[in-house]
Amino acid sequence: MAIDVRMPGEGYLSFWRERHICTLTTHRPDGSPHVVPVGATYDPEAGIARVITSGTSRKAANVAAAAAADPLGARVALCQLQGARWATLEGRAFVRTEPELIADAEARYAERYRTPRVNPERVLIEIRLTRAMGNA
C-alpha cells in the first residue's frame, strides 16, 4: 500500500517510532544488492530518513560511489518488520559529513534506540525519501 512520505498516518509513524532493527539496501558497484541491518530514524516533516554508520563501512562506500555517479543520489531502500507488520522507505541517499548533521542524527538515534558509541569515523547516510509503503 502506498503511503504519503510526509503525511504517513499515525499507525505508520508510530511503527517507525518503535524500536526495530531495519535493513538498508544499497547497490554494490557491480549492481548487486547489499543488504545490512541498521538502526534508522524517520523524519516525515523533512521527508528524510537517517542512518549513522562508520565512514569506512561498505554501505557508506556504496552510497558515496552511487551518489558520485548520479547527482540525484544513490537509490536505496530502508525496511523494518515485525510479524505481519512491515514498512519500507525508498529514496535517494547521500553520505553527509557535517558535524552538526551527524550530531542531530545521533540524537535522533538515541531517542529511538540508545546513545550511540563514540565513533570519530561516523558519517550520516541521509535519505531523501521518494516513496513509502507498508501495512503498519
Side-chain angles (χ1 to χ4, degrees):
M1 169 190 341
I3 295 167
D4 185 331
V5 168
R6 291 188 177 258
M7 297 177 58
E10 190 51 43
Y12 193 82
L13 188 54
S14 177
F15 188 48
W16 277 100
R17 288 181 182 138
E18 295 171 11
R19 187 183 194 281
H20 296 288
I21 298 300
C22 305
T23 60
L24 176 67
T25 303
T26 62
H27 294 94
R28 295 180 184 97
D30 69 1
S32 63
H34 176 71
V35 184
V36 292
V38 297
T41 60
Y42 173 32
D43 180 357
E45 290 179 7
I48 291 173
R50 295 171 178 89
V51 174
I52 56 174
T53 188
S54 178
T56 61
S57 69
R58 169 54 38 203
K59 60 188 159 286
N62 290 344
V63 169
D70 185 340
L72 295 177
R75 290 179 174 266
V76 301
L78 188 61
C79 184
Q80 66 179 22
L81 65 104
Q82 179 186 37
R85 293 190 309 162
W86 64 276
T88 298
L89 298 169
E90 295 179 8
R92 297 294 194 130
F94 296 88
V95 174
R96 305 294 300 262
T97 58
E98 299 93 323
E100 66 278 6
L101 295 180
I102 294 169
D104 177 63
E106 289 171 334
R108 292 170 187 273
Y109 181 96
E111 284 181 32
R112 187 171 190 206
Y113 299 102
R114 61 173 173 74
T115 301
R117 65 178 174 75
V118 174
N119 179 357
E121 300 293 319
R122 181 165 289 133
V123 297
L124 165 62
I125 296 176
E126 182 180 84
I127 306 165
R128 298 173 190 166
L129 301 172
T130 57
R131 182 180 300 162
M133 302 172 282
N135 69 355

